[in-house]
């Protein structure tokens, strides 16, 4: 944990002549450490949001910040593709020396304008909110349609690749450092029976059917700031995995996160379920915002996107269980195994459930 002196010291690097009144921890987000500061200048108060960047997860901080600047500049362009994009663009505040981030003894810090009067949600509040989030993320992709993906750095190499995750899993299984493989045979079989699903998108890319696009890469509901009064989506945050990927990934991850009705680590699998209304709202929102630029192959795979991403996330939990819980923090024994089981159960329900998987084009 950071002490308050070093947090103050970090905030002051971005003072820009303002007077610092207070800094407090936000206690949100799982990757960076986030703080809010309040300032006064000419009798006006303003707020900023500071993050000490996690350089374990993101090892190329200059690359990360290059992407952030490039992406936010593109989002500000008024391209015809996203003329309906009414969201506020995340604004990076430069440090006093003009750099986009400041290096202090405890790490690299960056600062954003604090978007006032908004809330974020860890659980979806209903169809209207789900539709709003889907439109926001779909428009986000539309805005970035003309940005050449090669201009961006892969901030975490192979992050979206399901086949890479499969290879990591197979290596963990061979090494079996914690000797846990024996106790997770049904889960291993489940994965091995679903490798076709893990290969679909990348096979499509190799055949020239599925294009590489700039995507958000972390389309969880809590990365959308919703207006406290109107409930409308106002701003998309957490742009650290915004890099070359597949459009289907953003759609699938949003569905995975928002339709789930159980806890992520639920041990009673009968409580795992999917909210159909929320699924349909996300699908509608995605089609209304991204539908115009998706190609026929992407549209065809859309009904499978959530299952692919859910399976891949389950695979990552299972791999982490095998390697000794190195990536996803645990509070109790077998928590990553339970998380994997929930994801796999969701995949089973998606497979059984015609409504979730029905082709979008047939409605
Ligand atoms: N510019 C901002 N204005 C207001 N709140 C923000 C802003 N940026 C982030 N937040 C809040 O902080 C949380 C964590 O930030 P985020 O960038 O998503 O970090 P992490 O990568 O750790 O998830 C968000 O879920 C949101 O609630
Ligand atoms: Mg976040």
């Amino acid at each position: 944990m950071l002490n308050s002196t070093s947090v103050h010291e970090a905030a002051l690097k971005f003072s820009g002549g303002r007077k610092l009144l207070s800094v407090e921890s936000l206690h949100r987000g799982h990757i960076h450490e986030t703080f809010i500061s309040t300032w006064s200048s000419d009798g006006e108060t303003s707020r900023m949001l500071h993050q000490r960047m996690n350089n374990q997860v993101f090892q190329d901080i200059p690359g990360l910040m290059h992407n952030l600047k490039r992406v936010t500049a593109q989002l500000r362009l008024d391209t015809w593709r996203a003329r309906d994009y009414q969201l506020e663009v995340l604004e990076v505040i430069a440090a006093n020396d003009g750099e986009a981030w400041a290096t202090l003894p405890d790490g690299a810090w960056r600062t954003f304008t604090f978007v006032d009067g908004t809330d974020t949600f860890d659980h979806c509040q209903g169809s209207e909110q789900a539709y709003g989030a889907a439109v926001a993320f779909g428009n986000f992709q539309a805005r970035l349609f003309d940005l050449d993906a090669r201009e961006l750095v892969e901030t975490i190499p192979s992050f979206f690749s399901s086949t890479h995750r499969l290879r990591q899993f197979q290596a963990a299984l061979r090494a079996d450092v914690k000797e846990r493989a024996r106790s997770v045979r049904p889960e291993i079989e489940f994965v091995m029976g679903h490798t076709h699903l893990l290969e679909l998108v990348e096979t499509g890319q190799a055949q020239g059917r599925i294009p590489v696009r700039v995507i958000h890469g972390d389309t969880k509901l809590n990365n959308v700031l919703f207006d406290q009064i109107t409930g409308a989506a106002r701003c998309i945050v957490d742009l650290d995995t915004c890099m070359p990927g597949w459009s289907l990934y953003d759609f699938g991850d949003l569905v995975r996160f928002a339709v789930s009705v159980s806890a992520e680590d639920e041990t009673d699998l009968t409580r795992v379920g999917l909210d159909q209304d929320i699924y349909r709202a996300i699908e509608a929102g995605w089609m209304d915002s991204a539908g115009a630029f998706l190609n026929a192959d992407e549209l065809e795979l859309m009904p499978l996107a959530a299952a692919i991403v859910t399976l891949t996330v389950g695979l990552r939990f299972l791999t982490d269980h095998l390697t000794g819980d190195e990536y996803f923090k645990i509070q109790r024994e077998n928590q990553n195994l339970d998380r994997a089981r929930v994801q796999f159960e969701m995949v089973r329900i998606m497979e059984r459930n015609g409504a979730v998987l029905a082709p979008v084009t047939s409605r």
Side-chain angles (χ1 to χ4, degrees):
M1 219 28 219
L2 290 159
N3 68 44
S4 66
T5 318
S6 59
V7 177
H8 271 79
E9 198 188 324
L12 286 170
K13 293 276 182 193
F14 300 87
S15 60
R18 288 163 282 241
K19 184 168 174 278
L20 181 59
L21 301 178
S22 63
V23 193
E24 56 189 279
S25 173
L26 186 63
H27 302 295
R28 287 203 62 108
H30 296 302
I31 306 295
H32 308 295
E33 284 182 78
T34 303
F35 301 85
I36 301 176
S37 59
T38 308
W39 305 78
S40 80
S41 175
D42 298 331
E44 303 252 318
T45 59
S46 59
R47 295 210 277 175
M48 294 183 198
L49 182 133
H50 312 277
Q51 288 183 326
R52 184 176 72 144
M53 292 177 264
N54 183 329
N55 63 354
Q56 296 291 317
V57 173
F58 296 102
Q59 296 181 356
D60 176 7
I61 297 288
L64 189 73
M65 294 305 291
H66 159 82
N67 283 8
L68 184 61
K69 282 189 289 179
R70 186 65 195 85
V71 166
T72 50
Q74 188 75 17
L75 289 171
R76 262 185 215 104
L77 294 180
D78 191 21
T79 62
W80 64 270
R81 259 182 228 290
R83 51 190 181 276
D84 300 332
Y85 185 89
Q86 303 294 346
L87 303 190
E88 293 167 35
V89 179
L90 198 60
E91 193 183 348
V92 181
I93 298 177
N96 295 338
D97 63 5
E99 296 294 330
W101 77 97
T103 308
L104 283 107
D106 59 23
W109 288 78
R110 66 179 172 194
T111 295
F112 298 105
T113 306
F114 185 80
V115 182
D116 266 311
T118 64
D119 279 327
T120 46
F121 298 86
D122 291 323
H123 296 286
C124 189
Q125 310 292 297
S127 302
E128 208 176 317
Q129 187 180 67
Y131 178 84
V135 169
F137 280 122
N139 269 323
F140 183 88
Q141 275 197 8
R143 273 258 140 170
L144 298 176
F145 184 91
D146 293 313
L147 171 59
D148 186 341
R150 287 169 300 189
E151 283 192 45
L152 300 179
V153 175
E154 255 197 282
T155 53
I156 305 178
S158 303
F159 187 66
F160 306 120
S161 167
S162 301
T163 59
H164 170 69
R165 303 299 187 183
L166 182 60
R167 286 191 292 277
Q168 286 181 321
F169 166 72
Q170 286 162 330
L173 201 52
R174 275 195 300 276
D176 197 17
V177 287
K178 296 283 171 185
E179 297 181 0
R180 292 176 174 172
R182 231 169 345 127
S183 60
V184 296
R185 287 255 162 79
E187 287 72 27
I188 296 170
E189 267 167 38
F190 184 80
V191 172
M192 297 324 285
H194 283 82
T195 51
H196 60 286
L197 211 51
L198 297 168
E199 287 158 1
L200 266 181
V201 174
E202 284 159 85
T203 304
Q205 189 202 334
Q207 294 170 344
R209 293 185 290 109
I210 301 290
V212 171
R213 302 187 189 280
V214 177
I215 67 166
H216 180 276
D218 193 7
T219 49
K220 292 178 186 59
L221 196 65
N222 55 25
N223 286 329
V224 182
L225 308 181
F226 291 94
D227 191 273
Q228 279 170 350
I229 295 169
T230 66
R234 268 186 47 198
C235 183
I236 286 180
V237 300
D238 211 343
L239 309 184
D240 296 331
T241 50
C242 186
M243 56 182 173
W246 303 284
S247 177
L248 289 160
Y249 185 96
D250 273 357
F251 172 69
D253 203 25
L254 178 60
V255 171
R256 180 188 76 83
F257 187 88
V259 301
S260 172
V261 299
S262 73
E264 186 188 57
D265 59 351
E266 177 61 61
T267 51
D268 176 2
L269 292 184
T270 64
R271 299 173 94 155
V272 174
L274 312 177
D275 188 318
Q276 299 280 330
D277 292 339
I278 294 197
Y279 179 79
R280 275 187 286 273
I282 293 175
E283 191 190 66
W286 196 258
M287 291 305 287
D288 286 349
S289 54
F293 68 78
L294 298 173
N295 75 21
D297 292 290
E298 289 174 303
L299 290 173
E300 198 185 310
L301 277 188
M302 247 176 84
L304 288 176
I308 294 170
V309 177
T310 307
L311 178 64
T312 308
V313 172
L315 182 62
R316 292 179 59 198
F317 286 137
L318 186 59
T319 305
D320 210 35
H321 177 68
L322 291 173
T323 53
D325 310 297
E326 288 182 312
Y327 188 90
F328 299 107
K329 287 186 207 108
I330 54 165
Q331 279 85 42
R332 59 175 173 78
E333 213 183 323
N334 290 341
Q335 196 171 3
N336 276 322
L337 175 59
D338 291 331
R339 288 170 174 153
R341 285 178 172 154
V342 168
Q343 299 297 312
F344 295 161
E345 186 61 17
M346 283 174 66
V347 174
R348 279 191 203 97
I349 299 171
M350 288 173 189
E351 284 180 322
R352 276 201 305 269
N353 199 328
V356 167
L357 299 176
V360 272
T361 44
S362 73
R363 282 206 199 107

